[in-house]
Amino acid sequence: MRHRVGLSRGALRAIVGIVASFACAVAAAATFTAQPSAVQSYLQDGGFETPNFAPNGWAYGTAGSVAWTSTSGGGIGANGSPWLDGAAPEGDQVGFVQGGVNASLSQSFSAPAGRYRLTFQAAQRPDTSAQTLTVLVDGVQIGLVKPKSTSFEPFVFDALKLAATGSHTLTFQGTSTLGHSVAIDDVRFVSVTNTARLWSDPATWNQGSLLP
């Protein structure tokens, strides 16, 4: 004799609800694990968004900035200002360095000892001759940057090692004896775990060293 086992409608609804809840939980977990974790930059306001200028606005100096300081010839400009040929690649503003060694933008930041990558975008100012920037960390030159055109292009300084935990300073410094200028945007200083060296300029560090 065969016996038929039946379930009440209430029991069926309960089973369907459990299966649906489990499926949602699995989907939610898959969605969460698929999201990449954000990479922390040890710099603040890498897009030069403070102080906030109206379109076309700009100023020498960094009064009102939450993070950046400047010397003569350094400043911040908004989209539409003379320092840009088009729009900023990140946000609505850029930093700029106009002139020679007395012109600079700097930021001091705290970071633990370890390996780091510096990235940023830079472009020549429209209607001026080319400017070359000196890039320094803790006052020591790690390279020279000369954008090819008025279009922003990325620059990468990789496999850098900070030997000491504490305060460090990043500086972009001019080299031109005239009014030549470079715009800078989207500056990041992030921790890395690899030892790949993505740029070929020789460099020495007082506060660290290049990894092989």
Side-chain angles (χ1 to χ4, degrees):
M1 176 182 292
R2 291 183 295 178
H3 297 278
R4 298 179 62 187
V5 178
L7 294 174
S8 67
R9 291 182 178 178
L12 286 171
R13 285 195 296 268
I15 292 172
V16 171
I18 292 171
V19 172
S21 297
F22 178 76
C24 290
V26 171
T31 300
F32 176 78
T33 55
Q35 298 298 318
S37 58
V39 178
Q40 176 190 0
S41 174
Y42 286 87
L43 301 175
Q44 298 184 63
D45 192 23
F48 300 92
E49 301 304 318
T50 60
N52 184 31
F53 289 100
N56 307 319
W58 62 275
Y60 290 112
T62 52
S65 172
V66 299
W68 295 95
T69 59
S70 65
T71 57
S72 175
I76 296 173
N79 286 342
S81 66
W83 316 98
L84 285 155
D85 183 12
E90 192 278 327
D92 299 313
Q93 301 187 166
V94 299
F96 64 83
V97 175
Q98 179 185 43
V101 295
N102 292 325
S104 68
L105 288 170
S106 298
Q107 182 175 151
S108 294
F109 61 97
S110 295
R115 300 167 181 173
Y116 292 89
R117 174 183 297 129
L118 169 65
T119 64
F120 57 93
Q121 298 192 56
Q124 299 289 347
R125 176 183 173 176
D127 302 323
T128 66
S129 298
Q131 163 79 291
T132 298
L133 290 180
T134 303
V135 184
L136 307 99
V137 173
D138 296 335
V140 179
Q141 178 179 319
I142 63 170
L144 297 171
V145 167
K146 186 177 183 179
K148 294 188 292 290
S149 70
T150 58
S151 297
F152 280 89
E153 56 185 299
F155 292 90
V156 178
F157 290 78
D158 206 2
L160 305 177
K161 182 179 179 181
L162 292 180
T165 296
S167 179
H168 303 278
T169 302
L170 168 67
T171 301
F172 297 100
Q173 185 180 75
T175 62
S176 170
T177 56
L178 302 174
H180 307 158
S181 310
V182 163
I184 308 161
D185 200 11
D186 196 18
V187 188
R188 302 169 186 263
F189 197 89
V190 301
S191 177
V192 294
T193 57
N194 62 64
T195 59
R197 185 174 176 182
L198 300 185
W199 109 99
S200 59
D201 293 335
T204 56
W205 282 53
N206 286 340
Q207 196 66 17
S209 61
L210 283 173
L211 295 174

